[in-house]
């Protein structure tokens, strides 16, 4: 069974094996896009991390519902017919998840780095080194 699946390349009807996932690509693209937007000083000053409840509701829930709804169509569950998500939905859920993850994480990373810079500057000032 495993060897049969490994050797199957695909068909015109089913599609072909691809090592890339649309959702993963758009997660990374959204994180990159958010990082570029956040790098603007005007945005960085005003934007705070997303509230956790909003992150779960908008970022995690859609991707989780999609994943579990697919999973529950396969053995051993088989609650409903098997299905695959359409590419547009994968792109949408991936982009939203990536943006929400970046919005949650990047401001915290930025705050942590700023605190670290302040601490280092204080230590250097105490040592008589001024930057």
């Amino acid at each position: 069974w495993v060897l049969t699946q490994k050797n199957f390349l695909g068909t015109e009807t089913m599609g072909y094996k691809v090592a890339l996932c649309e959702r993963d690509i758009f997660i990374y693209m959204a994180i990159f896009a958010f990082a570029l937007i956040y790098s603007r000083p005007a945005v960085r000053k005003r934007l705070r991390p997303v509230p956790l409840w909003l992150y779960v509701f908008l970022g995690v829930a859609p991707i989780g519902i999609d994943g579990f709804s697919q999973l529950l169509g396969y053995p051993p569950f088989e609650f409903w017919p098997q299905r695959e998500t359409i590419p547009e939905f994968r792109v949408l859920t991936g982009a939203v998840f990536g943006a929400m993850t970046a919005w949650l994480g990047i401001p915290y990373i930025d705050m942590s780095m700023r605190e670290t810079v302040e601490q280092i500057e204080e230590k250097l000032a105490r040592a008589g080194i001024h930057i």
Side-chain angles (χ1 to χ4, degrees), residues 27-106:
I27 288 171
Y28 296 125
M29 286 178 61
I31 291 171
F32 180 71
F34 184 90
L36 287 178
I37 293 167
Y38 190 80
S39 69
R40 311 268 313 167
V43 174
R44 190 179 313 136
K45 287 180 186 176
R46 301 182 71 184
L47 196 62
R48 297 291 163 242
V50 67
L52 196 54
W53 67 268
L54 189 60
Y55 171 73
V56 170
F57 184 71
L58 291 180
V60 176
I63 220 168
I65 290 168
D66 179 44
F68 277 110
S69 69
Q70 286 182 55
L71 174 69
L72 297 176
Y74 289 92
F77 306 107
E78 300 182 82
F79 291 125
W80 43 73
Q82 295 178 1
R83 71 168 189 83
E84 289 295 321
T85 306
I86 60 172
E88 294 82 4
F89 194 66
R90 288 181 186 166
V91 165
L92 180 64
T93 57
V96 171
F97 177 77
M100 295 300 287
T101 299
W103 187 8
L104 179 66
I106 290 175

